[in-house]
Amino acid sequence: MLRRLEVHVHKAADATFQAATPTVRGRLAQKDFSTKTAVTPTSQQGLYWVNKDNYPTGLLGLEGELSDYDTRLESVKAGEFVVLEKPLPGEVYGTDQIVLSGLAEGDFLAVETSGGNAGKLIKSTDPTQFKFRGTKVDNGNTLGRVEIL
């Protein structure tokens, strides 16, 4: 899940890239311009939040009110178009794609580049552009508050 808690309005987002592999909203990715895909990050530069339009279509539209946290709306399939949003200094986001264990408010965060947590934010001992600002409970779900420096 990705929530915009304090962001710049009318910011351009790129919806021309497809997911290279299955992912979820709220993870971080990098752009691969040669394949026009959003890929798992290999470094701490050129990072974008993965998001997507979550409009229920087909049979989902018949179910009535759906939670934003419904896994069918959260999941991104390989080949599906995503919306890539560049985090800018001064913004604060909420995401569940963060490893909260061991974090204290003010800790720096880095994006994991390998393994099962690839694309998630984890605690960093080095200064980065991401800082942990506590948690927020949204509709019964705990999100990590992430400030962009």
Side-chain angles (χ1 to χ4, degrees):
M1 172 51 65
L2 182 67
R3 292 283 192 221
R4 295 172 189 91
L5 302 177
E6 299 172 32
V7 297
H8 302 292
V9 295
H10 306 299
K11 179 171 72 167
D14 191 344
T16 63
F17 283 71
Q18 295 173 301
T21 58
T23 190
V24 294
R25 291 172 39 189
R27 285 210 178 179
L28 288 156
Q30 291 174 318
K31 293 178 178 180
D32 182 337
F33 288 94
S34 64
T35 60
K36 292 294 277 183
T37 58
V39 297
T40 301
T42 57
S43 70
Q44 303 300 313
Q45 285 79 41
L47 298 170
Y48 294 83
W49 293 112
V50 173
N51 208 347
K52 73 174 196 172
D53 291 330
N54 64 343
Y55 299 109
T57 59
L59 294 176
L60 282 179
L62 298 174
E63 291 187 29
E65 193 171 319
L66 291 172
S67 168
D68 285 346
Y69 288 91
D70 189 303
T71 57
R72 296 169 296 178
L73 298 177
E74 283 290 291
S75 299
V76 177
K77 298 175 187 141
E80 186 176 355
F81 280 97
V82 294
V83 178
L84 298 175
E85 186 173 327
K86 184 73 173 164
L88 298 176
E91 295 182 323
V92 179
Y93 289 86
T95 182
D96 60 359
Q97 298 301 301
I98 182 172
V99 178
L100 291 172
S101 59
L103 282 178
E105 189 165 345
D107 284 346
F108 285 102
L109 303 166
V111 67
E112 180 62 65
T113 57
S114 63
N117 286 332
K120 285 187 177 185
L121 288 167
I122 59 171
K123 184 175 181 173
S124 175
T125 55
D126 297 322
T128 67
Q129 66 175 328
F130 302 108
K131 197 165 243 196
F132 180 64
R133 290 297 180 201
T135 59
K136 173 180 179 47
V137 176
D138 178 48
N139 196 25
N141 298 278
T142 301
L143 304 177
R145 295 181 75 240
V146 179
E147 179 183 9
I148 313 305
L149 303 178

